[in-house]
Coordinates of all heavy atoms in Angstrom, one line a residue:
R1 N 184.7 97.9 113.8 CA 185.9 98.4 113.1 C 187.1 98.3 113.9 O 187.2 98.8 115.0 CB 185.6 99.9 112.7 CG 186.7 100.4 111.9 CD 186.3 101.8 111.4 NE 187.3 102.3 110.5 CZ 187.3 103.2 109.7 NH1 186.2 103.9 109.6 NH2 188.3 103.6 109.0
Y2 N 188.1 97.6 113.3 CA 189.3 97.3 114.1 C 190.4 98.4 113.9 O 191.0 98.8 114.8 CB 189.9 96.0 113.7 CG 191.2 95.6 114.3 CD1 191.2 95.4 115.7 CD2 192.3 95.4 113.6 CE1 192.4 95.0 116.3 CE2 193.5 95.0 114.2 CZ 193.5 94.9 115.6 OH 194.7 94.5 116.1
G3 N 190.5 99.0 112.7 CA 191.4 100.0 112.4 C 191.5 100.3 111.0 O 191.4 99.4 110.1
G4 N 191.7 101.6 110.6 CA 191.7 101.9 109.2 C 190.5 101.4 108.4 O 189.4 101.7 108.7
E5 N 190.8 100.5 107.5 CA 189.8 99.8 106.7 C 189.7 98.3 107.1 O 189.3 97.5 106.3 CB 190.1 100.0 105.2 CG 190.1 101.4 104.8 CD 190.6 101.6 103.3 OE1 191.0 100.6 102.7 OE2 190.5 102.7 102.8
E6 N 189.9 98.0 108.3 CA 189.9 96.6 108.8 C 188.7 96.5 109.8 O 188.5 97.3 110.6 CB 191.2 96.2 109.5 CG 192.3 96.2 108.5 CD 193.6 95.8 109.1 OE1 193.7 95.6 110.4 OE2 194.7 95.7 108.4
F7 N 188.1 95.3 109.6 CA 186.9 95.0 110.5 C 187.1 93.6 111.0 O 187.8 92.8 110.4 CB 185.6 95.1 109.7 CG 185.3 96.4 109.1 CD1 185.9 96.9 107.9 CD2 184.5 97.3 109.8 CE1 185.6 98.2 107.4 CE2 184.2 98.6 109.3 CZ 184.8 99.0 108.1
I8 N 186.5 93.3 112.2 CA 186.6 92.0 112.7 C 185.2 91.5 112.8 O 184.3 92.2 113.3 CB 187.2 92.1 114.1 CG1 188.7 92.5 114.1 CG2 187.1 90.7 114.8 CD1 189.3 92.7 115.5
I9 N 185.0 90.2 112.4 CA 183.8 89.5 112.6 C 184.1 88.3 113.5 O 185.0 87.5 113.1 CB 183.2 89.0 111.2 CG1 182.8 90.2 110.4 CG2 182.0 88.1 111.5 CD1 182.4 89.8 108.9
I10 N 183.4 88.1 114.5 CA 183.6 87.0 115.4 C 182.4 86.1 115.3 O 181.3 86.5 115.4 CB 183.8 87.4 116.9 CG1 185.0 88.4 117.0 CG2 183.9 86.2 117.8 CD1 185.1 89.0 118.4
A11 N 182.7 84.8 114.9 CA 181.7 83.8 114.7 C 182.0 82.7 115.8 O 183.1 82.2 115.9 CB 181.7 83.2 113.3
K12 N 181.0 82.2 116.5 CA 181.1 81.2 117.5 C 181.0 79.9 116.8 O 179.9 79.3 116.7 CB 180.1 81.4 118.6 CG 180.3 80.4 119.7 CD 179.4 80.7 120.9 CE 179.7 79.6 122.0 NZ 178.8 79.9 123.1
T13 N 182.0 79.4 116.3 CA 182.0 78.1 115.6 C 183.5 77.6 115.4 O 184.4 78.4 115.3 CB 181.4 78.1 114.2 OG1 181.3 76.8 113.6 CG2 182.1 79.1 113.2
E14 N 183.6 76.3 115.4 CA 184.9 75.7 115.1 C 184.8 75.1 113.7 O 185.8 74.5 113.2 CB 185.3 74.7 116.1 CG 185.7 75.3 117.4 CD 186.1 74.3 118.5 OE1 186.6 73.2 118.0 OE2 186.0 74.5 119.7
N15 N 183.8 75.3 113.0 CA 183.5 74.7 111.6 C 184.2 75.6 110.6 O 183.6 76.7 110.3 CB 182.0 74.6 111.4 CG 181.7 74.0 110.1 OD1 182.5 74.0 109.1 ND2 180.5 73.4 110.0
E16 N 185.4 75.2 110.1 CA 186.1 76.1 109.2 C 185.4 76.2 107.9 O 185.5 77.2 107.2 CB 187.5 75.5 109.0 CG 188.3 75.7 110.3 CD 189.8 75.4 110.2 OE1 190.3 75.7 109.0 OE2 190.4 75.0 111.1
E17 N 184.6 75.2 107.5 CA 183.8 75.3 106.3 C 182.8 76.4 106.4 O 182.5 77.2 105.4 CB 183.1 74.0 105.9 CG 182.4 74.0 104.6 CD 183.2 74.4 103.4 OE1 184.4 74.0 103.3 OE2 182.7 75.1 102.5
L18 N 182.2 76.6 107.5 CA 181.2 77.7 107.7 C 181.9 79.0 107.6 O 181.4 80.0 107.1 CB 180.6 77.5 109.1 CG 179.5 78.6 109.5 CD1 178.4 78.5 108.6 CD2 179.1 78.3 110.9
I19 N 183.1 79.1 108.1 CA 183.9 80.4 108.1 C 184.3 80.7 106.6 O 184.1 81.9 106.2 CB 185.2 80.3 108.9 CG1 184.8 80.1 110.4 CG2 186.0 81.5 108.7 CD1 184.0 81.2 111.0
R20 N 184.6 79.7 105.8 CA 184.9 79.9 104.4 C 183.6 80.3 103.7 O 183.7 81.2 102.8 CB 185.5 78.6 103.8 CG 187.0 78.5 104.0 CD 187.5 77.3 103.1 NE 187.1 76.0 103.6 CZ 187.6 75.3 104.6 NH1 188.6 75.8 105.2 NH2 187.1 74.1 104.9
A21 N 182.5 79.7 104.0 CA 181.2 80.1 103.4 C 180.9 81.6 103.7 O 180.5 82.3 102.8 CB 180.1 79.2 103.9
L22 N 181.1 82.0 105.0 CA 180.9 83.4 105.4 C 181.8 84.3 104.6 O 181.3 85.3 104.0 CB 181.1 83.5 106.8 CG 180.9 85.0 107.4 CD1 179.6 85.6 107.1 CD2 181.2 85.0 108.9
S23 N 183.1 84.0 104.4 CA 184.0 84.8 103.7 C 183.6 84.9 102.2 O 183.6 86.0 101.6 CB 185.4 84.2 103.7 OG 185.9 84.2 105.0
N24 N 183.1 83.8 101.6 CA 182.7 83.8 100.2 C 181.4 84.6 100.1 O 181.3 85.3 99.1 CB 182.5 82.4 99.7 CG 183.8 81.7 99.5 OD1 184.8 82.3 99.3 ND2 183.7 80.3 99.6
T25 N 180.5 84.5 101.0 CA 179.3 85.3 101.0 C 179.6 86.8 101.0 O 179.0 87.6 100.2 CB 178.3 85.0 102.1 OG1 178.0 83.6 102.0 CG2 177.1 85.9 102.1
I26 N 180.5 87.2 101.8 CA 181.0 88.6 101.9 C 181.5 89.1 100.5 O 181.1 90.1 100.0 CB 181.9 88.9 103.0 CG1 181.3 88.7 104.4 CG2 182.6 90.3 102.9 CD1 182.2 88.6 105.5
K27 N 182.4 88.3 100.0 CA 183.0 88.6 98.7 C 182.0 88.6 97.5 O 182.0 89.5 96.7 CB 184.1 87.6 98.4 CG 185.3 87.8 99.3 CD 186.3 86.7 99.0 CE 187.4 86.7 100.0 NZ 188.4 85.6 99.8
E28 N 181.1 87.7 97.5 CA 180.1 87.6 96.5 C 179.2 88.8 96.6 O 178.7 89.3 95.6 CB 179.3 86.3 96.6 CG 180.1 85.1 96.1 CD 179.5 83.7 96.5 OE1 178.4 83.8 97.1 OE2 180.1 82.7 96.3
T29 N 178.8 89.2 97.8 CA 178.0 90.4 98.0 C 178.7 91.6 97.4 O 178.0 92.5 96.8 CB 177.6 90.5 99.5 OG1 176.9 89.3 99.9 CG2 176.8 91.8 99.7
L30 N 180.0 91.8 97.7 CA 180.7 92.9 97.2 C 180.7 92.9 95.7 O 180.5 94.0 95.0 CB 182.1 92.9 97.7 CG 182.3 93.4 99.1 CD1 183.8 93.3 99.6 CD2 181.9 94.9 99.3
I31 N 180.9 91.8 95.0 CA 180.9 91.6 93.6 C 179.5 92.1 93.1 O 179.4 92.9 92.1 CB 181.2 90.2 93.1 CG1 182.7 89.9 93.4 CG2 180.8 90.0 91.7 CD1 183.0 88.4 93.3
R32 N 178.4 91.6 93.7 CA 177.1 92.0 93.3 C 176.8 93.5 93.4 O 176.3 94.1 92.5 CB 176.0 91.2 94.0 CG 174.6 91.5 93.6 CD 173.6 90.7 94.4 NE 173.7 90.7 95.8 CZ 173.4 91.7 96.6 NH1 172.8 92.8 96.1 NH2 173.5 91.6 97.9
L33 N 177.2 94.0 94.6 CA 177.1 95.5 94.8 C 177.9 96.3 93.8 O 177.4 97.4 93.3 CB 177.4 95.8 96.2 CG 176.5 95.3 97.3 CD1 177.1 95.6 98.7 CD2 175.1 95.9 97.2
N34 N 179.1 95.8 93.5 CA 179.9 96.6 92.5 C 179.2 96.6 91.1 O 179.1 97.6 90.4 CB 181.3 95.9 92.3 CG 182.2 96.2 93.4 OD1 182.2 97.3 93.9 ND2 183.1 95.2 93.7
E35 N 178.6 95.4 90.7 CA 177.9 95.3 89.4 C 176.7 96.2 89.4 O 176.4 96.8 88.4 CB 177.5 93.9 89.1 CG 178.7 93.0 88.9 CD 178.4 91.5 88.8 OE1 177.3 91.1 89.1 OE2 179.3 90.7 88.5
E36 N 175.9 96.2 90.5 CA 174.6 97.0 90.5 C 174.9 98.5 90.7 O 174.0 99.2 90.3 CB 173.8 96.5 91.8 CG 173.3 95.1 91.6 CD 172.6 94.5 92.8 OE1 172.6 95.2 93.8 OE2 172.1 93.4 92.7
S37 N 175.9 98.9 91.3 CA 176.1 100.3 91.6 C 176.5 101.2 90.4 O 176.1 102.3 90.3 CB 177.2 100.5 92.6 OG 178.5 100.3 92.0
G38 N 177.2 100.6 89.4 CA 177.6 101.4 88.3 C 178.7 102.4 88.7 O 179.0 103.4 87.9
A39 N 179.3 102.3 89.8 CA 180.3 103.3 90.3 C 181.6 103.1 89.5 O 181.8 102.1 88.9 CB 180.6 103.0 91.8
G40 N 182.3 104.2 89.4 CA 183.6 104.2 88.7 C 184.7 103.5 89.5 O 185.9 103.7 89.1
Y41 N 184.4 102.8 90.5 CA 185.5 102.2 91.3 C 184.9 100.8 91.8 O 183.7 100.6 91.6 CB 185.8 103.0 92.6 CG 184.7 103.3 93.4 CD1 184.2 102.5 94.4 CD2 184.0 104.6 93.2 CE1 183.1 102.8 95.2 CE2 182.9 104.9 93.9 CZ 182.4 104.0 94.9 OH 181.3 104.3 95.7
E42 N 185.7 100.0 92.3 CA 185.3 98.7 92.7 C 185.7 98.4 94.2 O 186.8 98.7 94.6 CB 186.0 97.6 91.8 CG 185.6 96.2 92.1 CD 186.2 95.2 91.2 OE1 186.1 95.4 89.9 OE2 186.8 94.2 91.6
L43 N 184.8 98.0 95.0 CA 185.1 97.6 96.3 C 185.6 96.1 96.3 O 185.1 95.3 95.7 CB 183.9 97.6 97.2 CG 183.3 99.0 97.4 CD1 182.0 98.9 98.2 CD2 184.2 100.0 98.0
T44 N 186.7 95.9 97.1 CA 187.2 94.5 97.2 C 187.4 94.2 98.7 O 187.5 95.1 99.5 CB 188.5 94.3 96.4 OG1 189.5 95.2 97.0 CG2 188.3 94.6 95.0
A45 N 187.6 93.0 99.0 CA 187.9 92.6 100.4 C 188.9 91.4 100.4 O 188.8 90.5 99.6 CB 186.7 92.1 101.1
S46 N 189.9 91.5 101.3 CA 190.8 90.4 101.6 C 190.4 90.0 103.0 O 190.3 90.8 103.9 CB 192.2 90.9 101.6 OG 192.6 91.3 100.2
I47 N 190.2 88.7 103.1 CA 189.7 88.2 104.4 C 190.6 87.1 105.0 O 191.0 86.2 104.3 CB 188.3 87.6 104.2 CG1 187.3 88.7 103.7 CG2 187.8 87.0 105.5 CD1 185.9 88.2 103.3
G48 N 191.0 87.3 106.2 CA 191.8 86.3 106.9 C 191.0 85.8 108.0 O 190.1 86.5 108.6
S49 N 191.2 84.5 108.4 CA 190.4 83.9 109.5 C 191.3 83.0 110.3 O 192.4 82.6 109.8 CB 189.2 83.1 109.0 OG 189.6 82.0 108.2
A50 N 190.9 82.8 111.5 CA 191.7 81.9 112.4 C 190.7 81.3 113.4 O 189.7 82.0 113.8 CB 192.8 82.6 113.1
C51 N 190.9 80.1 113.7 CA 190.0 79.4 114.7 C 190.7 79.6 116.1 O 191.9 79.3 116.3 CB 189.9 77.9 114.4 SG 188.9 77.0 115.5
Y52 N 189.9 80.1 117.0 CA 190.4 80.3 118.4 C 190.2 79.0 119.1 O 189.4 78.8 120.0 CB 189.6 81.5 119.0 CG 190.0 82.0 120.3 CD1 191.0 81.5 121.1 CD2 189.2 83.0 120.9 CE1 191.4 81.9 122.3 CE2 189.5 83.5 122.2 CZ 190.6 82.9 122.9 OH 190.9 83.4 124.1
C53 N 191.1 78.1 118.8 CA 191.0 76.7 119.3 C 192.4 76.1 119.1 O 193.3 76.6 118.4 CB 189.9 75.9 118.7 SG 190.0 75.8 117.0
G54 N 192.5 74.9 119.6 CA 193.7 74.1 119.3 C 195.0 74.8 119.9 O 195.0 75.1 121.1
D55 N 195.9 75.0 119.0 CA 197.2 75.7 119.4 C 197.0 77.1 119.8 O 197.9 77.7 120.4 CB 198.2 75.6 118.3 CG 198.7 74.1 118.0 OD1 198.5 73.3 118.9 OD2 199.2 73.9 116.9
I56 N 195.9 77.8 119.3 CA 195.7 79.2 119.6 C 195.0 79.3 120.9 O 193.8 78.8 121.0 CB 194.9 79.8 118.5 CG1 195.7 79.8 117.2 CG2 194.6 81.3 118.8 CD1 195.1 80.4 116.0
T57 N 195.6 79.8 121.9 CA 195.1 79.8 123.3 C 194.6 81.2 123.8 O 194.1 81.3 124.9 CB 196.1 79.2 124.2 OG1 197.3 80.0 124.2 CG2 196.4 77.8 123.9
D58 N 194.8 82.2 123.0 CA 194.3 83.5 123.4 C 193.9 84.3 122.2 O 194.2 84.1 121.1 CB 195.3 84.3 124.2 CG 196.6 84.6 123.5 OD1 196.5 85.6 122.7 OD2 197.6 84.0 123.7
F59 N 193.0 85.3 122.5 CA 192.4 86.1 121.4 C 193.5 86.8 120.6 O 193.4 86.9 119.4 CB 191.5 87.1 122.0 CG 190.8 88.0 121.0 CD1 189.8 87.5 120.2 CD2 191.2 89.3 120.8 CE1 189.1 88.2 119.2 CE2 190.6 90.1 119.8 CZ 189.6 89.5 119.0
Q60 N 194.5 87.4 121.2 CA 195.5 88.1 120.4 C 196.2 87.2 119.5 O 196.5 87.6 118.3 CB 196.5 88.8 121.4 CG 197.5 89.7 120.6 CD 196.8 90.9 119.9 OE1 196.0 91.5 120.5 NE2 197.1 91.1 118.6
A61 N 196.5 85.9 119.9 CA 197.1 85.0 119.0 C 196.2 84.7 117.8 O 196.7 84.5 116.6 CB 197.5 83.7 119.7
A62 N 194.9 84.5 118.0 CA 194.0 84.3 117.0 C 193.9 85.5 116.0 O 193.9 85.3 114.8 CB 192.6 84.0 117.6
L63 N 193.9 86.7 116.6 CA 193.9 87.9 115.8 C 195.1 88.0 114.9 O 195.1 88.3 113.7 CB 193.8 89.1 116.7 CG 193.5 90.4 116.0 CD1 192.3 90.4 115.2 CD2 193.5 91.5 117.1
N64 N 196.3 87.6 115.5 CA 197.6 87.7 114.7 C 197.6 86.7 113.5 O 198.0 87.0 112.5 CB 198.8 87.4 115.6 CG 199.0 88.5 116.6 OD1 198.6 89.6 116.5 ND2 199.8 88.2 117.6
K65 N 197.0 85.5 113.8 CA 196.9 84.4 112.8 C 196.0 84.9 111.6 O 196.3 84.7 110.5 CB 196.5 83.1 113.3 CG 196.5 82.0 112.3 CD 196.4 80.6 112.9 CE 196.4 79.6 111.8 NZ 196.6 78.3 112.2
A66 N 194.8 85.5 112.0 CA 193.9 86.0 111.0 C 194.5 87.1 110.2 O 194.3 87.2 109.0 CB 192.6 86.4 111.7
D67 N 195.3 87.9 110.9 CA 195.9 89.1 110.2 C 197.0 88.5 109.2 O 197.0 89.0 108.1 CB 196.6 90.0 111.2 CG 196.7 91.4 110.8 OD1 195.8 91.9 110.1 OD2 197.7 92.0 111.1
E68 N 197.7 87.5 109.6 CA 198.6 86.9 108.6 C 197.9 86.3 107.4 O 198.4 86.5 106.3 CB 199.5 85.8 109.3 CG 200.5 86.3 110.3 CD 201.1 85.1 111.1 OE1 201.0 84.0 110.6 OE2 201.6 85.4 112.2
A69 N 196.8 85.7 107.7 CA 196.1 85.1 106.6 C 195.5 86.2 105.6 O 195.5 86.0 104.4 CB 195.0 84.2 107.1
L70 N 195.0 87.3 106.3 CA 194.5 88.4 105.4 C 195.6 88.9 104.5 O 195.3 89.1 103.3 CB 194.0 89.5 106.4 CG 193.6 90.8 105.7 CD1 192.4 91.3 106.5 CD2 194.6 91.8 105.6
Y71 N 196.8 89.2 105.0 CA 197.9 89.7 104.2 C 198.3 88.7 103.1 O 198.8 89.1 102.0 CB 199.0 90.3 105.0 CG 198.6 91.6 105.6 CD1 198.3 91.7 107.0 CD2 198.4 92.7 104.8 CE1 197.9 92.9 107.6 CE2 198.1 93.9 105.4 CZ 197.8 94.0 106.7 OH 197.4 95.2 107.3
E72 N 198.3 87.4 103.4 CA 198.6 86.4 102.4 C 197.6 86.5 101.2 O 197.9 86.5 100.1 CB 198.6 85.0 103.0 CG 199.8 84.8 103.9 CD 199.8 83.4 104.6 OE1 198.9 82.6 104.2 OE2 200.5 83.2 105.5
E73 N 196.3 86.6 101.6 CA 195.3 86.7 100.6 C 195.4 87.9 99.8 O 195.2 87.9 98.6 CB 193.9 86.6 101.2 CG 192.8 86.6 100.2 CD 191.4 86.4 100.7 OE1 191.2 85.6 101.6 OE2 190.5 87.2 100.3
K74 N 195.7 89.0 100.5 CA 195.8 90.3 99.8 C 197.0 90.3 98.8 O 196.8 90.7 97.7 CB 196.1 91.4 100.8 CG 196.1 92.8 100.2 CD 196.3 93.9 101.2 CE 195.0 94.1 101.9 NZ 195.1 95.3 102.8
A75 N 198.1 89.7 99.2 CA 199.2 89.5 98.3 C 198.9 88.7 97.0 O 199.3 89.0 95.9 CB 200.4 88.9 99.0
K76 N 198.2 87.6 97.2 CA 197.7 86.8 96.1 C 196.8 87.5 95.2 O 196.9 87.4 93.9 CB 197.0 85.5 96.6 CG 197.9 84.5 97.3 CD 197.1 83.3 97.8 CE 198.0 82.4 98.6 NZ 197.2 81.4 99.2
R77 N 195.9 88.4 95.7 CA 195.0 89.1 94.9 C 195.7 90.2 94.1 O 195.5 90.4 92.9 CB 193.9 89.8 95.8 CG 192.8 90.5 95.0 CD 191.7 91.0 95.9 NE 192.0 91.6 97.1 CZ 192.3 92.9 97.2 NH1 192.2 93.7 96.2 NH2 192.6 93.4 98.4
V78 N 196.7 90.8 94.7 CA 197.5 91.8 94.0 C 198.3 91.2 92.9 O 198.4 91.7 91.8 CB 198.4 92.6 95.0 CG1 199.5 93.4 94.3 CG2 197.6 93.4 96.0
Q79 N 198.9 90.0 93.2 CA 199.7 89.3 92.2 C 198.8 88.9 91.0 O 199.2 89.0 89.8 CB 200.3 88.0 92.7 CG 201.6 88.2 93.4 CD 202.2 86.9 93.9 OE1 201.5 85.9 94.1 NE2 203.5 86.9 94.1
A80 N 197.6 88.4 91.2 CA 196.7 88.0 90.2 C 196.2 89.2 89.3 O 196.0 89.0 88.1 CB 195.5 87.3 90.8
A81 N 196.2 90.4 89.9 CA 195.7 91.5 89.2 C 196.8 92.2 88.4 O 196.5 92.9 87.4 CB 195.2 92.6 90.2
G82 N 198.0 91.8 88.7 CA 198.9 92.5 87.9 C 200.3 92.4 87.6 O 200.9 93.0 86.9

């Protein structure tokens, strides 16, 4: 747990397709759990990722880039909802 409702997953790979697949698996799992639970609320996730390679030379820079991507995705989800 990174803070508040934020979590960090670290994957040792430079394969961005694998990272996208992991993100999609997390989201699909939440959708399935929402459908199965019958709860009066819905869990959602906005996921940002960054490759700690290339121009990104330290962990904090990678974290900042992933955070930016997370908020971009969150803004798109909010726009789509309403």
Side-chain angles (χ1 to χ4, degrees):
R1 184 172 181 163
Y2 179 63
E5 297 175 350
E6 295 181 356
F7 298 84
I8 296 176
I9 298 172
I10 299 174
K12 187 176 179 178
T13 183
E14 291 183 22
N15 183 335
E16 292 190 30
E17 183 57 38
L18 181 62
I19 299 301
R20 277 191 292 277
L22 177 59
S23 296
N24 287 336
T25 298
I26 292 168
K27 291 175 189 177
E28 289 167 3
T29 300
L30 283 175
I31 289 168
R32 182 179 49 78
L33 292 172
N34 284 327
E35 291 171 352
E36 292 173 357
S37 74
Y41 55 88
E42 183 176 310
L43 298 177
T44 61
S46 296
I47 299 174
S49 64
C51 182
Y52 186 0
C53 57
D55 293 342
I56 298 178
T57 57
D58 64 76
F59 180 76
Q60 189 60 49
L63 188 58
N64 291 344
K65 184 168 180 167
D67 207 38
E68 289 173 19
L70 177 144
Y71 285 106
E72 287 174 13
E73 181 175 318
K74 187 179 281 191
K76 289 177 187 174
R77 186 170 45 87
V78 169
Q79 276 184 335

